[in-house]
Amino acid sequence: MSINILKLARSNVQRLIPYQSARRIGGGHGDILLNANESSKPVFFESKKKSFHRYPECQPNNVISSYANYTNLSCNQILVTRGADEGIELLIKAFCEPGQDAIMYCPPTYDMYRVNAEIHGVEIKEIPTIKNTWQLDLLNIQLNLNRVKLVYVCNPNNPTGNILLKQDLISLLKITLGHSLVVIDEAYIEFSPKESMTNYLKKYPNLVILRTLSKAFALAGIRCGFTLANKEVIDILNKVISPYPISAPVSDIAVQSLEIAYIKLMQDRVLDSNNNRIWLIDQLKNIHCVEKVFQSNANYILVKFFMFKQVFQNLWDKGVILRSQNNKINLKNCIRISIGTRLESLRLIKELKIFSKEIFEGKTSEK
Ligand SMILES: *Cc1c(COP(=O)(O)O)cnc(C)c1O
């Protein structure tokens, strides 16, 4: 007897478009991976722990106090999670009543806010950012706050790379006070550390900040992130988190990565990446198939291409894997490029120049 298993799933899960992670799309293809905003250089650690027959602490004390030290916050303002992604979901689980409450976010932005809301049957309100400046449309945000419990903003924003104006973030905190939490996703904040809003936690009880070790700390493989907020919010999230979210080897490595020497190494990698970004933007501006390069404050850049489809496919065929943004609102013909090593960037530029030459000069050189 055959049964339709899909029909057994919740209807919102039947309809769900899952997150298209770089690893799901790319598979094993390509040797230059510039599609997931990972650190292009590894850091090496050894797990000191050798036996694992006991459950770990739910909130490993040493990880929490290391991160408190790094951010200048108190331990009770910090939750450690399985990546920042888990923080996004826990907030929805804890604060949004399915079929009743809503979340808001400002596309084009990170897709996981939408995905988690859809999984939990929570309504979505999308208020696009202003085209090309990618700043918040505060007027429309304010007009649509009805039933919104969580407003997710991403700073620097993925995939556009821009920083949100500090006065806008403060206005957002003010207009939502008493109604909604403002969740600022600071996954890339180490690349522009002055823009962090951690100092505002004291003043705004509705501020929540998401952090991760996946990007600047070069630890995407261990899956470790943090939610920063006032104690009242952290206590609520602690009610809904799973019993043992952080495995012992993960907390062991996380603690090491937050030692002063490793933080210094992280800051060196950030400087290197930021220099490489400036170099890459400069190079791209001289290439024929590039229509526009957007300024960026993170470890990736958004680029608008002529003949976007051919450019993307051509690079893919050569093993240079980028992230298409063409299907996102206001990002027609755009590709996001992670900042790799200088060698990887040189390969990218070389392939783009060969492609441009074939397309734009090919016909004339045949004569
Ligand atoms: C990569 C990323 C995350 C997820 O980080 P993890 O800690 O790896 O789950 C969250 N937000 C944004 C904007 C990201 O780009």
Side-chain angles (χ1 to χ4, degrees):
M1 192 179 75
S2 87
I3 52 166
N4 189 341
I5 296 292
L6 185 63
K7 283 206 168 136
L8 293 178
R10 292 164 61 208
S11 57
N12 55 323
V13 174
Q14 292 182 35
R15 286 191 306 269
L16 180 71
I17 303 167
Y19 183 72
Q20 302 291 307
S21 77
R23 282 306 106 77
R24 276 198 213 188
I25 302 170
H29 185 72
D31 58 334
I32 300 204
L33 303 179
L34 303 177
N35 63 343
N37 296 347
E38 298 147 320
S39 168
S40 52
K41 289 182 185 150
V43 197
F44 295 94
F45 292 103
E46 254 176 66
S47 180
K48 289 172 187 152
K49 231 174 136 83
K50 301 291 177 215
S51 66
F52 302 99
H53 61 303
R54 299 293 184 193
Y55 279 116
E57 290 170 274
C58 176
Q59 288 291 290
N61 233 309
N62 51 359
V63 180
I64 297 273
S65 60
S66 300
Y67 209 74
N69 208 21
Y70 167 60
T71 51
N72 258 318
L73 295 171
S74 318
C75 290
N76 65 17
Q77 294 175 295
I78 297 173
L79 184 83
V80 52
T81 56
R82 182 165 34 77
D85 282 346
E86 188 181 24
I88 295 170
E89 178 171 32
L90 289 176
L91 285 157
I92 292 175
K93 275 191 187 172
F95 288 94
C96 296
E97 201 75 69
Q100 187 177 314
D101 296 333
I103 71 155
M104 180 184 280
Y105 57 86
C106 306
T109 191
Y110 190 49
D111 211 27
M112 285 300 283
Y113 318 132
R114 170 191 69 78
V115 170
N116 280 299
E118 285 182 358
I119 289 172
H120 291 284
V122 169
E123 188 194 336
I124 282 162
K125 296 197 190 186
E126 295 188 343
I127 308 295
T129 46
I130 314 287
K131 197 174 173 179
N132 289 337
T133 70
W134 316 120
Q135 293 299 320
L136 299 176
D137 182 352
L138 280 172
L139 188 63
N140 269 314
I141 288 176
Q142 185 156 26
L143 289 173
N144 288 282
L145 281 174
N146 198 17
R147 286 176 292 106
V148 170
K149 286 285 190 67
L150 302 168
V151 181
Y152 287 93
V153 293
C154 188
N155 193 37
N157 187 47
N158 177 6
T160 51
N162 63 291
I163 283 290
L164 295 169
L165 297 170
K166 207 161 248 181
Q167 71 255 33
D168 282 3
L169 291 173
I170 292 166
S171 300
L172 181 60
L173 285 162
K174 284 183 176 157
I175 62 177
T176 52
L177 199 61
H179 308 280
S180 338
L181 299 182
V182 174
V183 185
I184 304 183
D185 186 339
E186 294 191 348
Y188 300 96
I189 203 67
E190 284 83 4
F191 297 94
S192 292
K194 288 198 189 86
E195 305 296 329
S196 177
M197 292 291 281
T198 50
N199 286 337
Y200 291 83
L201 285 169
K202 273 198 290 286
K203 192 161 177 196
Y204 293 99
N206 59 331
L207 172 59
V208 181
I209 294 169
L210 299 172
R211 294 286 192 88
T212 181
L213 298 183
S214 298
K215 309 289 163 55
F217 280 88
L219 286 173
I222 72 166
R223 312 300 305 122
C224 186
F226 299 88
T227 302
L228 316 176
N230 286 297
K231 180 178 181 299
E232 290 74 17
V233 173
I234 299 297
D235 286 348
I236 293 168
L237 296 176
N238 260 315
K239 292 176 83 170
V240 298
I241 199 167
S242 64
Y244 311 107
I246 309 297
S247 76
V250 167
S251 56
D252 188 4
I253 289 162
V255 168
Q256 294 180 53
S257 77
L258 292 162
E259 287 168 6
I260 288 183
Y262 282 99
I263 289 178
K264 182 81 184 43
L265 283 177
M266 177 275 285
Q267 288 164 337
D268 290 346
R269 282 195 306 280
V270 163
L271 279 181
D272 203 41
S273 172
N274 287 351
N275 284 331
N276 214 1
R277 181 183 70 224
I278 293 164
W279 180 87
L280 186 61
I281 290 175
D282 212 46
Q283 293 288 310
L284 284 167
K285 282 181 175 162
N286 297 320
I287 290 178
H288 291 307
C289 58
V290 171
E291 184 177 341
K292 179 170 180 144
V293 187
F294 290 92
Q295 269 310 320
S296 165
N297 294 274
N299 66 338
Y300 51 86
I301 49 178
L302 183 71
V303 184
K304 188 172 187 186
F305 285 94
F306 297 113
M307 309 182 60
F308 135 87
K309 220 177 160 174
Q310 291 90 330
V311 170
F312 184 82
Q313 189 59 46
N314 182 269
L315 286 165
W316 176 283
D317 294 342
K318 302 269 175 71
V320 181
I321 312 301
L322 310 179
R323 188 85 145 143
S324 168
Q325 304 293 331
N326 182 52
N327 56 357
K328 291 205 175 163
I329 184 165
N330 290 334
L331 296 187
K332 197 129 198 46
N333 300 322
C334 289
I335 296 178
R336 192 193 70 192
I337 305 175
S338 304
I339 307 300
T341 60
R342 181 58 62 88
L343 222 62
E344 289 172 321
S345 302
L346 277 164
R347 228 328 256 297
L348 169 75
I349 293 297
K350 185 181 134 204
E351 300 294 359
L352 278 173
K353 278 186 176 159
I354 294 172
F355 175 80
S356 279
K357 205 170 171 116
E358 280 168 9
I359 297 296
F360 289 87
E361 294 163 27
K363 287 194 186 109
T364 45
S365 62
E366 271 169 24
K367 280 181 195 166

